[in-house]
Amino acid sequence: MNAQTRGDAEETRVLVVEDDRGIAESLVRGLRQAGYGVEGVRTGRAALAAPTPDVVLLDLGLPDIDGVEVCRRLRARSDAAIIAVTARGEEADRVVALDEGADDYLVKPFGLAELLARIRAVLRRRRPTEPEILRHGPLALDLRTRQVSVDGCAVALTPKELGILECLAADPGRVVTRQQILERAWDAHWYGPTKVLDVHVAALRRKLGMPGLIETVYGQGFRLGTVQESQEQP
């Protein structure tokens, strides 16, 4: 990610309203790894008392105030994007939450990649002119259309390859650990072997056709190298 795009992500504040400690910690960790500023609270009262964020991830099953009521009060006083995050999957529950001001509805369980996509979508609707293209030299990744190009030529990637590239392009030069990539491109609770990542990285390198662009940092993970280095290498 260039400085402009990285700054935009860091300036986006997300409030996680979730009373389950394990789920809350997982959400906060994943969102921070994605570059968002995150605050977590466990009750409706705490959510209403918190500073107004850009995005609210709101569990509807809170211990003190019904989540729909919290949604109604938040919407009455702010234009924050609200995503209802809950185990309630019936149509009637979705309709009520949306009618009371929620911008989107996400049913548990869900993966981190889907959550990040939902956040990008609600922010895009509220910030329609915000650029969502990660650039690194001749490489461009459009986060909205999920399209990748090198020197203006389209490159077809699988969803996993796209996920890996997005992790690395979010902050070129920064080392992203194998576990961080697996948690974002696969699942937030990935506990399997990490060797599967090497197969996809090898395919990604081949498709991009930029030798040396994706660097292996042994014992740590991967990063995007400078374009000059990648072009000079044979």
Side-chain angles (χ1 to χ4, degrees):
M1 179 183 294
N2 56 36
Q4 171 73 38
T5 310
R6 182 69 181 178
D8 290 343
E10 291 177 346
E11 290 172 2
T12 300
R13 298 161 298 156
V14 180
L15 176 65
V16 175
V17 188
E18 170 62 64
D19 67 323
D20 184 301
R21 185 181 298 275
I23 295 176
E25 290 177 351
S26 178
L27 289 173
V28 169
R29 181 173 62 252
L31 289 167
R32 284 178 177 162
Q33 289 175 350
Y36 292 102
V38 188
E39 179 182 355
V41 297
R42 302 182 63 187
T43 66
R45 290 187 179 86
L48 294 170
T52 302
D54 299 296
V55 181
V56 180
L57 302 183
L58 177 62
D59 181 18
L60 298 186
L62 298 173
D64 57 343
I65 305 174
D66 183 75
V68 172
E69 176 61 24
V70 175
C71 181
R72 181 185 300 118
R73 296 187 193 180
L74 287 173
R75 177 54 67 232
R77 74 183 197 192
S78 80
D79 62 352
I82 301 174
I83 301 176
V85 181
T86 178
R88 303 177 189 175
E90 291 76 13
E91 182 181 10
D93 291 319
R94 295 197 299 272
V95 170
V96 170
L98 294 170
D99 281 345
E100 294 301 333
D103 295 275
D104 201 352
Y105 197 105
L106 193 55
V107 179
K108 301 173 184 176
F110 53 85
L112 179 61
E114 180 181 6
L115 172 60
L116 294 176
R118 298 291 186 101
I119 291 176
R120 289 195 297 268
V122 296
L123 288 175
R124 190 161 57 242
R125 290 195 291 269
R126 291 180 175 274
R127 306 173 184 172
T129 61
E130 182 175 310
E132 291 200 350
I133 298 180
L134 305 182
R135 299 185 185 277
H136 187 60
L139 173 69
L141 192 165
D142 190 316
L143 298 176
R144 182 179 66 82
T145 63
R146 311 299 291 165
Q147 293 180 335
V148 174
S149 64
V150 175
D151 282 324
C153 298
V155 180
L157 301 180
T158 68
K160 291 294 188 293
E161 292 162 358
L162 273 168
I164 295 169
L165 184 59
E166 182 176 348
C167 289
L168 300 175
D171 192 0
R174 181 178 70 88
V175 177
V176 185
T177 69
R178 302 171 71 90
Q179 190 62 36
Q180 287 173 334
I181 295 174
L182 287 166
E183 288 181 355
R184 288 187 59 187
W186 269 257
D187 185 87
H189 303 288
W190 176 271
Y191 296 110
T194 65
K195 282 297 181 181
V196 66
L197 179 57
D198 296 283
V199 176
H200 290 275
V201 169
L204 179 58
R205 283 171 168 154
R206 184 175 63 253
K207 291 181 179 180
L208 292 176
M210 300 173 67
L213 175 66
I214 300 178
E215 300 178 347
T216 299
V217 182
Y218 292 99
Q220 298 183 52
F222 301 92
R223 68 183 174 197
L224 287 192
T226 64
V227 176
Q228 290 77 14
E229 289 176 355
S230 64
Q231 291 177 335
E232 292 173 0
Q233 292 183 15

